[in-house]
Amino acid sequence: MSTITSEALAETTLLRFATAGSVDDGKSTLVGRLLHDSKSVLTDQLEAVERASASRGQEAPDLALLTDGLRAEREQGITIDVAYRYFATPRRRFILADTPGHVQYTRNMVTGASTAELTVILVDARNGVVEQTRRHAAIAALLRVPHVVLAVNKMDLVDYEEAVFARIAEEFTAYATELGVPEVTAIPISALAGDNVVEPSAHMDWYGGPTVLEHLETVPVSHHLTHCHARLPVQYVIRPQSAEHPDYRGYAGQIAAGTFRVGDEVTVLPSGRTTTVTGIDLLGTPVETAWTPQSVTLLLADDIDISRGDLLVPSKDAPATTQDVEATVCHVADQPLTVGHRVLLKHGTRTVKAIVKDIPARLTLDDLSLHPHPGTLAANDIGRVKIRTAEPLPVDSYADSRRTGSFILIDPSDGTTLTAGMVGASFAAPHPARDRAEDDGWGF
Amino acid sequence: MTPTVDPETGDDGGTDTPHALSHPDALESEAVHIFREVAGEFENPVVLFSGGKDSIVMLHLALKAFTPAPVPFSLLHVDTGHNFPEVLDYRDRAVGRHGLRLHVASVQDYIDRGVLRERPDGTRNPLQTVPLTERIQQERFDAVFGGGRRDEEKARAKERVFSLRDEFSQWDPRRQRPELWNLYNGRHAPGEHVRVFPLSNWTELDVWQYIAREGIELPEIYFAHEREVFQRGGMWLTAGGWGGPKDGESVEKRQVRYRTVGDMSCTGAVDSDADTIEKVITEIAASRLTERGATRADDKLSEAAMEDRKREGYF
């Protein structure tokens, strides 16, 4: 692959993706290889890696050092936080959330997956699908990442055998499909040797599919543009009150889902008042239509009371408002979440007081078993919660809308982000609860 | 806006057909969302503005985010005293044109008062931290926009869009809040503030492409010009009263341009004939060095130089 030339600097689309893999699966090597082989690593970065590798007495440059930015990580040879990487090919621009794979870093994987259109899950061909792999698949399913890639790594250590790959791919796909992952693409690779990462492998003639990079370049990124409920959380009211614009009053926000058109009848939530869209300002340019994720300013027919935190929705397609939110959450803070905990809940652009009414279950990702009434959730726990909010919220199901079906809980005392929440059922496919002791009746 | 062909639907950008946004549009929309989020949640935000290309793009995005109303933030420049005159001139014109309020925190002041000491190497970039943090405290700024990008440097790759700083402006990578979806958490205790990086997900090339697309004017020093320079530490530095050339360093006239604009003492020029934005983009796309690696002496100090300075409250 050649370096990007100026004539190829046309505008392309953007893919946000995340990686997940256990320690020693070779994830950093895969990422390093993607950056290196797509010519995204520049000379000085490579020299720095070579210097650092040599000073550690390593013979070859350790590509993992390209992505480990903090001193503690370099010293311990681990990744302790999400790192963001950027690279481009003539076909697409990429933002990669590189997330650590240790058990205690579930929260980082959830963070990376929350904005990802695609997740690459790595397994070691010698070990196949392990508990950690099932956990990664469950997180991808939980966060409803539209595309999942299974990269079966270290194929060089199993003599590039098709049977090994096929067995792992089949087992993983069956499991992921059961969880409701809509699409799995399995690719046999060797990150170390470079097979099927950027260049097709010379060792695996039996594989006829795309390399990892080819797949990343071609996977569709325009999901749910039109057939999704339209939602605009109001961020800010623009009122110049100038001689030139004495009566301009625009409602600014980033469209969280769907499409708005001039002439649409819209309802303001939670007040329930209705009006009509008379204009859409796309950062200074009037347009007839706008869609997610554009940042726009809507102009409305009636002068009604609308402020930051309100949600504009099509009148014919409005969500119900509720003060009782049931959700699957990932607890991301060190201090535990307990029943009775008073918190702030941020949904879209609205932050309201809330109280944790109940924690009906904790979910073990390894086997999806339910542990009824744990009382608290510790860091990296996934669980079901019932929350009562001080004001009605227009929440969607996370299955319908990742932006308006998600929320975070915040500690009012110090502002810590406590919990990531997804409204509604956890997984797309109903799953029999493995824990026979008590079935709380949620469709896992 | 130039119409583009959507590679997925073959749509030619007819504005009425929803399609995947082009990457500059996606990055622009995200940055605007960040600006508006801060305007909605903070009392007293300020934009760090140096007259360099990243801060110019930030200002352009802020203007677009609130149009037709004025930008609801003031600007802050930490002046090292070694800035390029072309850049200061640009800064003052931009402030005047958009009717903005500019705060200047001066490193020279601190040196004159004996609060800060000149470093033996003459570099003043690391000296910016104290004037910056003191001005943030004095003015009670609660959100400070910076033009930092995660692609610039390894420690920055770990930075959040909303980055909490304590009352000493310190950055603690272990105290960072997870950022989920696009739900930014700006809550902070009195005395603390949040550094906000709307260009987090942009690369150097994205910034240049956006400047070209939007027709944004830049200080001339970003384009090839004749300049008296001398070589130090493998970089072409501008000759001047700030501390160069010294004995054994010789001045020569060269055709150069700047990829980044910081302090004269640590910002190097590169040999270049690129005198238009298209030529600059072509050169950058073909370059085999990162922006900082090519031009910033201060980041090469140690493997963890940036991490350490960020902890102390640097940008």
Side-chain angles (χ1 to χ4, degrees):
Chain A
M1 232 199 64
S2 63
T3 313
I4 305 172
T5 55
S6 60
E7 67 265 18
L9 279 177
E11 295 184 348
T12 56
T13 48
L14 178 71
L15 178 75
R16 292 170 198 255
F17 74 107
T19 54
S22 317
V23 184
D24 306 328
D25 279 347
K27 189 163 56 67
S28 292
T29 312
L30 170 71
V31 171
R33 173 69 58 191
L34 273 176
L35 298 175
H36 180 266
D37 288 7
S38 66
K39 308 283 189 288
S40 305
V41 183
L42 301 174
T43 312
D44 52 310
Q45 291 173 307
L46 206 55
E47 281 171 358
V49 165
E50 282 164 358
R51 270 200 309 275
S53 306
S55 73
R56 286 179 183 65
Q58 290 161 300
E59 284 175 19
D62 181 354
L63 291 177
L65 293 174
L66 281 172
T67 55
D68 291 340
L70 302 174
R71 188 186 287 112
E73 298 177 318
R74 285 193 302 273
E75 285 168 358
Q76 298 166 42
I78 55 157
T79 311
I80 57 173
D81 205 336
V82 184
Y84 292 90
R85 298 279 143 204
Y86 301 86
F87 65 103
T89 68
R91 296 167 85 174
R92 194 168 263 178
R93 256 280 273 120
F94 299 96
I95 299 177
L96 158 61
D98 190 12
T99 60
H102 318 55
V103 180
Q104 67 270 37
Y105 291 111
T106 301
R107 58 184 166 193
N108 287 321
M109 262 179 279
V110 168
T111 303
S114 72
T115 54
E117 292 282 309
L118 178 146
T119 296
V120 179
I121 296 175
L122 259 100
V123 300
D124 184 327
R126 295 168 304 175
N127 308 333
V129 176
V130 294
E131 248 177 38
Q132 182 83 298
T133 317
R134 278 193 281 274
R135 205 174 296 132
H136 296 325
I139 289 173
L142 198 61
L143 275 291
R144 297 189 193 264
V145 180
H147 307 277
V148 172
V149 172
L150 175 75
V152 181
N153 192 21
K154 307 193 184 182
M155 286 298 294
D156 52 319
L157 302 182
V158 294
D159 297 327
Y160 295 108
E161 263 192 57
E162 184 178 7
V164 175
F165 167 75
R167 195 170 56 242
I168 296 169
E170 192 180 348
E171 184 184 349
F172 180 88
T173 306
Y175 186 74
T177 307
E178 196 184 358
L179 295 179
V181 170
E183 182 198 293
V184 176
T185 304
I187 306 176
I189 67 166
S190 166
L192 200 62
D195 295 279
N196 288 339
V197 178
V198 172
E199 302 293 339
S201 169
H203 303 101
M204 293 181 272
D205 294 343
W206 46 263
Y207 172 72
T211 66
V212 173
L213 187 66
E214 280 170 355
H215 183 67
L216 294 174
E217 283 182 317
T218 51
V219 76
V221 291
S222 42
H223 290 281
H224 314 301
L225 286 176
T226 46
H227 61 272
C228 207
H229 318 287
R231 303 285 185 256
L232 180 77
V234 176
Q235 280 189 283
Y236 193 78
V237 181
I238 295 177
R239 295 190 62 197
Q241 294 171 296
S242 60
E244 204 182 341
H245 303 281
D247 302 320
Y248 186 101
R249 185 196 287 252
Y251 302 98
Q254 186 175 35
I255 299 175
T259 303
F260 285 90
R261 288 182 179 79
V262 173
D264 283 355
E265 189 180 327
V266 292
T267 298
V268 183
L269 294 174
S271 77
R273 293 201 174 86
T274 60
T275 180
T276 308
V277 177
T278 53
I280 302 175
D281 239 346
L282 181 64
L283 308 181
T285 309
V287 292
E288 286 295 307
T289 312
W291 58 91
T292 181
Q294 290 180 323
S295 282
V296 295
T297 307
L298 291 196
L299 305 169
L300 304 174
D302 304 285
D303 223 359
I304 48 183
D305 179 19
I306 303 174
S307 55
R308 174 177 169 81
D310 288 346
L311 185 72
L312 295 172
V313 300
S315 301
K316 59 182 191 302
D317 185 15
T321 59
T322 178
Q323 286 181 257
D324 293 294
V325 177
E326 285 191 37
T328 303
V329 303
C330 173
H331 190 61
V332 297
D334 292 331
Q335 63 265 45
L337 188 76
T338 52
V339 174
H341 209 131
R342 289 178 185 277
V343 294
L344 294 168
L345 184 152
K346 185 173 185 185
H347 168 258
T349 53
R350 191 179 196 83
T351 303
V352 298
K353 286 182 177 167
I355 187 164
V356 179
K357 278 292 197 199
D358 191 13
I359 304 178
R362 186 165 56 77
L363 175 67
T364 301
L365 287 180
D366 308 351
D367 59 358
L368 304 186
S369 59
L370 287 173
H371 304 264
H373 305 293
T376 65
L377 292 177
N380 299 299
D381 278 352
I382 308 267
R384 297 285 301 167
V385 297
K386 291 183 178 179
I387 297 163
R388 175 78 181 169
T389 59
E391 298 162 45
L393 285 180
V395 291
D396 284 299
S397 157
Y398 187 75
D400 292 337
S401 169
R402 287 171 85 189
R403 283 276 173 92
T404 49
S406 55
F407 61 85
I408 55 174
L409 299 183
I410 298 170
D411 188 321
S413 66
D414 63 1
T416 304
T417 300
L418 297 171
T419 308
M422 291 151 279
V423 178
S426 305
F427 297 108
H431 199 283
R434 311 252 172 136
D435 189 321
R436 301 280 159 87
E438 183 172 340
D439 182 355
D440 282 298
W442 277 289
F444 279 112
Chain B
M1 272 258 340
T2 46
T4 53
V5 175
D6 173 26
E8 285 162 37
T9 60
D11 188 286
D12 65 356
T15 48
D16 284 0
T17 319
H19 54 268
L21 300 189
S22 69
H23 76 268
D25 284 339
L27 294 170
E28 179 186 58
S29 175
E30 175 185 73
V32 164
H33 173 257
I34 292 162
F35 275 112
R36 289 168 168 179
E37 206 53 17
V38 170
E41 294 218 324
F42 290 80
E43 297 292 318
N44 191 16
V46 69
V47 181
L48 291 172
F49 187 77
S50 63
K53 69 175 189 335
D54 296 325
S55 63
I56 289 169
V57 165
M58 269 208 299
L59 179 58
H60 182 87
L61 289 161
L63 288 161
K64 281 185 109 168
F66 300 101
T67 187
V71 172
F73 315 126
S74 54
L75 305 182
L76 169 61
H77 181 214
V78 183
D79 185 348
T80 61
H82 289 164
N83 284 297
F84 294 90
E86 299 91 334
V87 177
L88 291 181
D89 173 61
Y90 182 101
R91 177 196 78 184
D92 295 335
R93 280 188 296 119
V95 168
R97 191 180 332 141
H98 302 299
L100 297 156
R101 179 169 173 212
L102 175 73
H103 305 264
V104 178
S106 155
V107 173
Q108 191 64 52
D109 263 7
Y110 278 73
I111 292 172
D112 294 346
R113 286 190 281 125
V115 181
L116 288 174
R117 289 234 308 272
E118 197 80 78
R119 292 164 47 114
D121 61 5
T123 292
R124 287 187 173 183
N125 260 23
L127 302 183
Q128 294 177 94
T129 304
V130 173
L132 169 70
T133 54
E134 290 199 350
R135 184 58 67 96
I136 290 170
Q137 292 303 318
Q138 284 161 8
E139 298 286 343
R140 295 201 172 87
F141 293 128
D142 53 0
V144 180
F145 289 102
R149 308 188 317 262
R150 289 179 185 143
D151 81 320
E152 286 183 273
E153 198 278 336
K154 280 196 298 193
R156 285 211 164 148
K158 306 263 157 164
E159 185 59 276
R160 299 290 189 263
V161 175
F162 276 43
S163 177
L164 185 68
R165 303 301 168 98
D166 65 15
E167 68 259 57
F168 304 103
S169 284
Q170 294 179 115
W171 177 69
D172 179 355
R174 290 177 188 274
R175 244 191 93 199
Q176 298 198 94
R177 295 168 179 167
E179 285 187 340
L180 296 135
W181 300 285
N182 63 340
L183 295 168
Y184 301 109
N185 174 1
R187 295 198 54 105
H188 56 281
E192 294 184 330
H193 71 278
V194 177
R195 297 275 172 95
V196 182
F197 301 104
L199 306 182
S200 283
N201 288 324
W202 298 49
T203 64
E204 183 185 15
L205 205 48
D206 294 330
V207 169
W208 281 104
Q209 274 186 277
Y210 187 72
I211 289 167
R213 186 183 90 163
E214 301 283 300
I216 300 171
E217 185 206 341
L218 290 181
E220 308 86 89
I221 69 170
Y222 279 109
F223 303 100
H225 57 289
E226 286 254 305
R227 178 174 285 265
E228 293 202 331
V229 291
F230 64 93
Q231 198 159 36
R232 181 183 295 171
M235 298 189 303
W236 293 113
L237 298 180
T238 290
W242 59 267
K246 291 186 176 144
D247 292 346
E249 293 171 336
S250 56
V251 170
E252 49 186 290
K253 244 194 163 73
R254 294 186 78 90
Q255 173 97 334
V256 295
R257 69 175 174 83
Y258 283 88
R259 278 177 74 173
T260 68
V261 168
D263 202 33
M264 276 192 190
S265 59
C266 67
T267 308
V270 292
D271 286 318
S272 169
D273 306 322
D275 54 1
T276 66
I277 192 136
E278 288 72 27
K279 289 181 188 169
V280 168
I281 290 174
T282 305
E283 229 171 58
I284 288 169
S287 167
R288 304 306 310 144
L289 286 177
T290 62
E291 182 178 300
R292 284 182 171 266
T295 61
R296 287 294 181 93
D298 53 332
D299 292 343
K300 294 186 180 173
L301 299 175
S302 85
E303 209 178 342
M306 178 66 88
E307 183 180 342
D308 292 340
R309 279 187 298 147
K310 282 174 64 66
R311 284 173 181 274
E312 290 161 15
Y314 189 71
F315 308 136

